[in-house]
Amino acid sequence: MTTSLAPLNLAGQDILSVRQFQRDNLEPVFALTEHMREIVRRDGGTDLLARRVLAALFFEPSTRTSASFIAAMERLGGSVIPITQGVQFSSVSKGESLPDTIRTLEQYADAIVLRHPVIGSAQEAADAAAVPIINAGDGAGEHPTQALLDLFTIRDELGRLDGLHVAMVGDLRFGRTVHSLTQLLAQYQVKLSFVSPEILRLPLDLMNEVRGRGLAVQETYSVADVIGEVDVLYVTRVQKERFTDLAQYEELKGFYVIDEAIMAAARRDMIVMHPLPRVGEIDPRVDQDPRAAYFRQVQNGMFLRMALLAGVMGKA
Ligand code: NCD
C-alpha cells in the first residue's frame, strides 16, 4: 500500500486462531483498519484487490460475518464466490469431503473463508489448502476475525485496552466469540468478569490460562455484581445449536436481559457490545442509548476484514 503503515506480515498466511496475534502485531492490524475506514468514508473503497477472488464457504447460518467478508472484498475491488446459503445445493450435500471441497475452491480463489460446525475444521481445511484459510467460526471453537473486530471496537470506543474491566455475559461455554476474545484480552492489563449460569461457565482450560497470566478474574451468575464497575459489557446469545437437550436451552435462554433498568446502574462512559444476533438478551430500547455499541461494532467488522484480506493477499 502506498502509505506509511507498518506491514501486517500476513501474506499467504491462514487466520485460524487468535493465538497468532500478539500485542505488537495487533497494532498494525488496527492502524490499517482505521485506514480502511477512512478510505471507505472518503471514496467508498479502493481497487487494492482488483481481480482477486475470495471464496466464502459457510456450512452454518450467518448474516454479518458472510456479508461483511463480501462487502470487505468488494470495497477492495475484488470479488467473491459465495457458497453461503447454497451449501445444500453444492456437492457437499452429495457427501464431498471438506478437503476435496477446499482443494476445488482454491483452483478458483486466492483465499477461502470457512465457517463450519466442527471444532478444528478450519485447521483441517488449512492442512488441505495451498491458499490462505480464514476461520469464520469452527463450532464452539474459535472466531478470530470476530474477536479482532471486538478488540478494535473496544480500543476505538474507549481509547485504550489496558486498565479496562470487561465483563462477558451469557453463554461462555459454547460462545466461540467469547473464547477468542478472552484470549486476546488476556494479553492486556485488564480485569475480566465472567457472568453466566453455572452450566454455561467458561471452559476450565481457558479459565486456567487467564488466571495463569495473573489477571484479575471474577466469576458470578449475576450482572448486578458487576454492572456498576464495568467499562465493557460483552453480551452473548445462548448457543441453541450446541445443545443436545433443547429443554435445557429453553430454560437458559432468557437468563439475562439487559434493559434500561440495568443500564441505569451502569457507568456513563461504559459500552455494551454483542457479536449479534441477539435473541432477547438486549432489550431493543437500549439501542437508543449512546453506550449501545453493537451496530458500530458490526461496521468495524467490515473495516477490520478489509485489513485482514489485504494482509493475507500480500497487499499490506
Ligand atoms: C457469532 C457467531 O457466529 O459465533 N455471530 C457472529 O459471527 N457475529 C455469535 C453468535 O452466533 O451468537
Side-chain angles (χ1 to χ4, degrees):
M1 290 202 52
T2 55
T3 69
S4 55
L5 292 165
L8 263 48
N9 297 324
L10 286 176
Q13 295 210 19
D14 304 308
I15 298 178
L16 303 180
S17 164
V18 289
R19 291 183 190 280
Q20 295 165 244
F21 294 92
Q22 312 301 326
R23 280 185 74 137
D24 53 353
N25 62 9
L26 283 167
E27 274 310 310
V29 174
F30 294 152
L32 184 57
T33 301
E34 287 170 354
H35 183 68
M36 293 300 184
R37 174 163 63 190
E38 279 163 36
I39 288 176
V40 170
R41 294 206 170 141
R42 194 182 58 223
D43 303 323
T46 137
D47 57 4
L48 191 66
L49 295 185
R51 295 177 301 284
R52 300 298 177 106
V53 176
L54 176 72
L57 180 60
F58 280 65
F59 292 88
E60 282 190 330
S62 171
T63 301
R64 271 151 297 276
T65 306
S66 58
S68 86
F69 269 110
I70 292 170
M73 195 61 190
E74 298 206 341
R75 285 185 187 272
L76 289 166
S79 55
V80 183
I81 305 169
I83 308 180
T84 49
Q85 318 311 330
V87 168
Q88 66 269 42
F89 302 114
S90 75
S91 289
V92 168
S93 68
K94 301 180 187 170
E96 185 171 53
S97 71
L98 180 63
D100 278 6
T101 303
I102 294 291
R103 295 215 52 204
T104 299
L105 289 175
E106 72 177 353
Q107 310 305 319
Y108 312 129
D110 302 295
I112 300 171
V113 177
L114 174 69
R115 171 171 288 188
H116 194 283
V118 177
I119 294 179
S121 52
Q123 181 67 60
E124 187 191 358
D127 291 342
V131 302
I133 299 293
I134 302 175
N135 181 6
D138 62 327
E142 277 214 48
H143 193 348
T145 67
Q146 178 73 41
L148 290 168
L149 79 88
D150 292 340
L151 199 66
F152 175 83
T153 299
I154 297 172
R155 178 183 170 280
D156 193 53
E157 295 272 335
L158 301 178
R160 65 199 165 105
L161 290 163
D162 286 317
L164 297 178
H165 181 176
V166 180
M168 313 256 192
V169 180
D171 187 346
L172 312 185
R173 178 180 177 189
F174 296 120
R176 55 195 174 195
T177 73
V178 168
H179 301 165
S180 289
L181 182 58
T182 297
Q183 292 177 59
L184 281 184
L185 282 169
Q187 302 191 39
Y188 296 83
Q189 302 304 314
V190 291
K191 175 172 181 186
L192 295 176
S193 292
F194 298 103
V195 185
S196 73
E198 176 68 27
I199 200 159
L200 297 179
R201 284 168 68 179
L202 194 77
L204 198 59
D205 55 342
L206 204 46
M207 183 61 83
N208 288 338
E209 185 184 326
V210 173
R211 287 196 200 277
R213 286 181 182 255
L215 297 181
V217 176
Q218 178 185 4
E219 265 191 301
T220 172
Y221 61 86
S222 166
V223 174
D225 283 352
V226 299
I227 191 68
E229 286 174 32
V230 292
D231 298 292
V232 179
L233 193 70
Y234 187 93
V235 187
T236 64
R237 166 181 76 92
V238 178
Q239 305 280 298
K240 182 180 184 182
E241 61 274 41
R242 312 287 174 226
F243 282 77
T244 41
D245 176 0
L246 276 187
Q248 190 177 48
Y249 165 75
E250 292 296 331
E251 266 172 44
L252 291 166
K253 71 175 183 193
F255 210 88
Y256 301 109
V257 179
I258 307 304
D259 58 14
E260 288 167 308
I262 289 178
M263 290 303 291
R267 293 192 2 207
R268 293 309 312 161
D269 58 354
M270 58 81 77
I271 54 170
V272 182
M273 297 174 64
H274 194 306
L276 302 176
R278 65 176 156 186
V279 284
E281 310 82 37
I282 303 178
D283 186 321
R285 276 173 290 209
V286 173
D287 299 0
Q288 313 310 323
D289 190 312
R291 296 172 292 181
Y294 27 92
F295 290 111
R296 299 191 291 273
Q297 186 183 350
V298 169
Q299 196 181 41
N300 288 337
M302 180 176 73
F303 305 133
L304 186 281
R305 288 175 175 126
M306 288 175 75
L308 292 179
L309 287 169
V312 300
M313 296 204 194
K315 294 284 187 180

